[in-house]
Amino acid sequence: MSKELTKIQKKILEYLIDQIKGKGIPPTLAETANHFGYRNRATVQQHLKAIEKKGYIKKNPKLSRWIELTLEDKFFVPRAVLGEVAAGNPLTIYPDAIDTIELPTIARMPKDSFLLRVKGDSLKDAYIFNGDIVIVNPNLEPKNGQFVVAILDDAAVVKRFYKRRSQIELVSENPEYKPIIIDKKYPSFNIVGIVVGVYRSMEKRRAG
Amino acid sequence: MSKELTKIQKKILEYLIDQIKGKGIPPTLAETANHFGYRNRATVQQHLKAIEKKGYIKKNPKLSRWIELTLEDKFFVPRAVLGEVAAGNPLTIYPDAIDTIELPTIARMPKDSFLLRVKGDSLKDAYIFNGDIVIVNPNLEPKNGQFVVAILDDAAVVKRFYKRRSQIELVSENPEYKPIIIDKKYPSFNIVGIVVGVYRSMEKRRAG
DNA sequence: TATTATACCATACAAATGTATGGTATTTAT
DNA sequence: ATAAATACCATACATTTGTATGGTATAATA
């Protein structure tokens, strides 16, 4: 039997992976059917059966939401990288994904959070290096001392956030860069989100 | 109304958090009842109702496994750190947890994987620093070039894994340390697991 | 041509799941 | 002392969910 998945089966498997790895919870037949516009759960059911037969998933019978992925190699899930950020030399954020990285299954993305790749060594004093992926959560209020991604004049920076009495300071880790004081000069100033973590894949060696 | 949870409610909420954050999937009423030895789902149901009334969770009605945590501050979940590892200066692995760190919700642990804290700067050439948490997956076969945690004479090391024709080499990132050649001299040699990722919390600043 | 796999639909059914309601006993306020 | 909250139990019921079965249509294959 061919182990190849058909186009639709592949789409469904991708949806499963996306839900399980991204949301952390496998979808029900009804949810999957709804997502693909099927009027009937049985359609999904049969696709899952086919996918299971080809060895890509395993289902615990009779239990809801218990699809398991059996892809030993699939410990990494493709995720869109939305842009690049740096401190010191701000770069523009791109509207669409600039790249896709393989995020490991350990890294579950909180709702609405996204990934940015760090470019350059200007954050090296914060132990963040060229190529590292920062996970940005836009749903959290920044607290003093936390790293934030902020927009200044259509460019993105990663800096530490400090709210003072009358102003906001964005402090660079590298003492060569002086703190940015946010006042009326920056009408377009915007906090994109806070950096909740740094992930570095151990797969490939990066250039020092 | 008091927002305080009772002992049992607290235990149930802890179970919910543990399941949602650790396993990635909220339990059903039946599962929860079974876990606490209740003969009846209604008992759990009423506890959840009380917990929801106090504002700690939110439930999407009629849907299975849809308990949501509403604790804005609870974006970090305690996780046991099983030991400390270093390259160059091997340290013993402790049988029990030596510490607990606050792992963010973005980091979902794969089944059976565990955390080790890196001690010392001997891995700094691999951009892993003192205090970083490495996530170790014991269920993967090491491939050449990957970082592995290995046991040598009851001590743990983190090194790159290379399988040669007749032997296994454990290579240090720091050229000062020569590769360890695994042969009959190491009867207790054992690969604990491979390092699937490095996580560094951005909450606190570490000493350089 | 005949056969098989694919991709949908509809219907039916058992088990799982969430929910509602009522009951008992104990503890904790008022 | 009375009322309210807590902590369980049991039963009943509507949906949800997974599963089984049969049907139609199309494309790929032998």
Side-chain angles (χ1 to χ4, degrees):
Chain A
M1 184 218 314
S2 78
K3 292 266 182 171
E4 289 288 311
L5 293 178
T6 67
K7 257 185 190 174
I8 294 175
Q9 288 168 1
K10 208 174 271 181
K11 273 197 173 184
I12 290 181
L13 181 60
E14 276 171 18
Y15 174 72
L16 296 182
I17 293 175
D18 193 55
Q19 291 291 305
I20 294 175
K21 302 305 185 192
K23 209 169 168 186
I25 178 172
T28 63
L29 292 183
E31 285 169 7
T32 309
N34 193 55
H35 178 262
F36 286 96
Y38 297 140
R39 295 186 190 165
N40 209 290
R41 287 168 288 152
T43 303
V44 176
Q45 173 195 354
Q46 285 151 13
H47 280 138
L48 294 190
K49 214 180 249 177
I51 297 172
E52 186 179 22
K53 211 173 174 183
K54 293 178 180 175
Y56 288 79
I57 58 173
K58 214 178 77 183
K59 292 193 290 123
N60 284 29
K62 299 282 179 182
L63 279 178
S64 71
R65 302 179 186 280
W66 268 120
I67 299 161
E68 283 178 25
L69 303 177
T70 55
L71 306 159
E72 303 82 15
D73 295 12
K74 264 288 179 187
F75 274 90
F76 290 83
V77 186
R79 289 251 163 236
V81 178
L82 289 188
E84 291 177 327
V85 280
N89 298 333
L91 296 173
T92 52
I93 261 191
Y94 303 94
D96 292 319
I98 58 164
D99 196 6
T100 298
I101 66 149
E102 301 278 301
L103 201 66
T105 59
I106 57 116
R108 188 152 72 92
M109 304 277 295
K111 198 160 171 277
D112 299 330
S113 64
F114 55 91
L115 307 178
L116 296 176
R117 177 180 287 126
V118 171
K119 194 167 185 183
D121 283 339
S122 48
L123 280 162
K124 67 170 189 282
D125 292 319
Y127 305 102
I128 301 176
F129 296 90
N130 187 38
D132 283 4
I133 300 293
V134 293
I135 303 159
V136 182
N137 190 328
N139 295 329
L140 296 178
E141 281 297 310
K143 296 173 188 166
N144 276 358
Q146 281 182 330
F147 278 94
V148 298
V149 176
I151 297 281
L152 289 173
D153 305 327
D154 291 332
V157 292
V158 175
K159 289 187 185 294
R160 280 191 192 275
F161 173 93
Y162 288 99
K163 184 168 195 174
R164 305 303 185 195
R165 251 171 252 126
S166 56
Q167 63 194 21
I168 287 172
E169 289 178 24
L170 298 182
V171 181
S172 219
E173 210 63 13
N174 192 327
E176 290 175 26
Y177 301 101
K178 285 181 183 167
I180 298 175
I181 312 293
I182 302 299
D183 52 20
K184 309 293 175 211
K185 280 183 199 162
Y186 290 97
S188 67
F189 168 71
N190 192 23
I191 298 270
V192 176
I194 82 165
V195 177
V196 294
V198 181
Y199 180 73
R200 183 182 312 138
S201 171
M202 305 305 291
E203 286 299 290
K204 301 170 206 155
R205 184 104 179 255
R206 248 160 297 95
Chain B
M1 184 219 314
S2 80
K3 291 267 181 175
E4 289 288 310
L5 293 178
T6 66
K7 257 186 192 174
I8 293 175
Q9 288 169 1
K10 207 173 271 180
K11 273 197 173 182
I12 290 180
L13 180 60
E14 277 171 18
Y15 174 71
L16 296 181
I17 294 175
D18 194 54
Q19 292 291 303
I20 294 174
K21 301 305 185 191
K23 208 170 169 184
I25 179 174
T28 64
L29 291 183
E31 285 169 7
T32 310
N34 192 55
H35 179 261
F36 285 97
Y38 296 140
R39 294 186 190 165
N40 210 289
R41 287 168 289 153
T43 303
V44 176
Q45 174 195 352
Q46 286 151 13
H47 281 139
L48 293 189
K49 211 180 252 176
I51 296 172
E52 186 179 21
K53 211 173 175 184
K54 293 178 180 175
Y56 289 80
I57 59 174
K58 214 179 78 184
K59 291 192 290 128
N60 284 30
K62 300 279 179 186
L63 279 177
S64 70
R65 301 181 187 279
W66 268 120
I67 299 161
E68 282 179 25
L69 303 177
T70 54
L71 305 159
E72 303 83 14
D73 295 11
K74 265 288 178 185
F75 274 90
F76 289 82
V77 185
R79 288 251 164 239
V81 178
L82 289 187
E84 290 178 327
V85 279
N89 298 334
L91 297 172
T92 51
I93 261 192
Y94 303 94
D96 293 319
I98 59 163
D99 197 5
T100 298
I101 66 149
E102 300 279 302
L103 201 66
T105 59
I106 56 118
R108 190 153 70 93
M109 305 280 292
K111 198 162 171 274
D112 300 330
S113 65
F114 55 92
L115 308 177
L116 296 176
R117 177 180 287 128
V118 172
K119 194 169 185 182
D121 284 340
S122 48
L123 279 163
K124 67 169 190 282
D125 292 320
Y127 304 104
I128 302 176
F129 296 90
N130 186 39
D132 282 5
I133 300 293
V134 293
I135 302 156
V136 182
N137 191 326
N139 296 330
L140 296 178
E141 280 296 310
K143 294 172 189 166
N144 277 358
Q146 281 183 331
F147 279 94
V148 297
V149 176
I151 297 283
L152 290 173
D153 306 328
D154 292 332
V157 292
V158 174
K159 289 186 184 297
R160 278 191 193 276
F161 173 93
Y162 287 100
K163 184 168 192 171
R164 306 302 184 194
R165 253 173 248 126
S166 56
Q167 64 195 20
I168 288 171
E169 288 179 24
L170 298 182
V171 180
S172 220
E173 211 62 14
N174 193 326
E176 290 177 28
Y177 301 100
K178 285 182 182 166
I180 298 176
I181 312 293
I182 302 299
D183 51 20
K184 309 292 177 213
K185 279 184 201 163
Y186 290 96
S188 66
F189 169 71
N190 191 22
I191 299 270
V192 176
I194 82 164
V195 177
V196 293
V198 181
Y199 180 74
R200 182 182 314 137
S201 172
M202 305 306 290
E203 287 298 291
K204 302 171 204 155
R205 184 102 180 258
R206 249 159 298 94

